[in-house]
Amino acid sequence: MRSFDLTPFHRSTIGFDRLFSLLDQAHGSEAQATSYPPYNIERTAENAYRISIAVAGFGESDITIEAAANTLTVKGEKTATEGAQGEVLFRGIAGRSFERRFQLADYVTVSAAKLENGLLHIELVREIPEAMKPRLIPIGAQATGKAGKPKAIASVAQAA
């Protein structure tokens, strides 16, 4: 496995500390990551995503989904198996407990979740606040005075 030196980026970027720590975590946890249960991450629109997790054998009451502090956690714990179904000769459908964590970017929230045909679909949406969206700044804009009016207009109004 190849390691990356992020030092040059630390020298020329500001405010990306969280991104660099996520990259370090991903690099370190890659070797110990488990593949159960398998999942897909899809981009369904410009600001919409879907995580699909294969949870065959789990019901809605066996699964919990929690979103907190930019982390989405999906846990599955199988309740007691039904007896009286006969002797199991081969168990190929995994029913073991699991916990899967996903790091969410800023302003990404869970909008819906549904269990369908053995797949848990979690819909995510990125909703950027209006104050964080790009805006055009006119060149030559005047500074505002204490009353919120441009200084040049305030001085003209006082002279009249």
Side-chain angles (χ1 to χ4, degrees):
M1 187 183 304
R2 188 175 170 186
S3 73
F4 295 98
D5 182 17
L6 299 175
T7 306
F9 295 110
H10 285 285
R11 287 184 288 202
S12 61
T13 59
I14 298 168
F16 290 93
D17 302 338
R18 185 170 180 274
L19 175 65
F20 294 137
S21 66
L22 285 173
L23 287 172
D24 288 339
Q25 285 176 1
H27 180 68
S29 66
E30 199 172 283
Q32 60 192 10
T34 178
S35 62
Y36 180 77
Y39 65 93
N40 293 336
I41 300 175
E42 308 168 60
R43 184 178 204 161
T44 58
E46 184 177 345
N47 288 314
Y49 304 88
R50 176 185 299 129
I51 299 173
S52 298
I53 305 173
V55 291
F58 286 86
E60 290 181 14
S61 61
D62 301 328
I63 300 171
T64 57
I65 303 169
E66 180 182 334
N70 293 30
T71 302
L72 174 67
T73 305
V74 181
K75 294 180 186 177
E77 291 189 45
K78 197 79 165 130
T79 55
T81 59
E82 303 83 25
Q85 286 190 359
E87 181 182 358
V88 177
L89 300 177
F90 174 77
R91 187 171 306 273
I93 299 173
R96 64 183 184 258
S97 297
F98 68 88
E99 181 173 328
R100 175 76 68 181
R101 293 182 188 269
F102 300 92
Q103 293 295 317
L104 303 179
D106 292 338
Y107 313 115
V108 173
T109 58
V110 177
S111 62
K114 64 180 177 179
L115 185 59
E116 172 178 76
N117 298 327
L119 292 174
L120 175 65
H121 298 289
I122 303 171
E123 305 291 334
L124 304 159
V125 176
R126 179 175 44 199
E127 297 173 339
I128 301 172
E130 198 63 39
M132 300 299 290
K133 290 183 180 177
R135 59 187 171 145
L136 293 176
I137 309 299
I139 297 173
Q142 298 175 345
T144 58
K146 291 180 182 176
K149 297 180 182 177
K151 286 183 180 179
I153 294 174
S155 62
V156 171
Q158 290 174 353

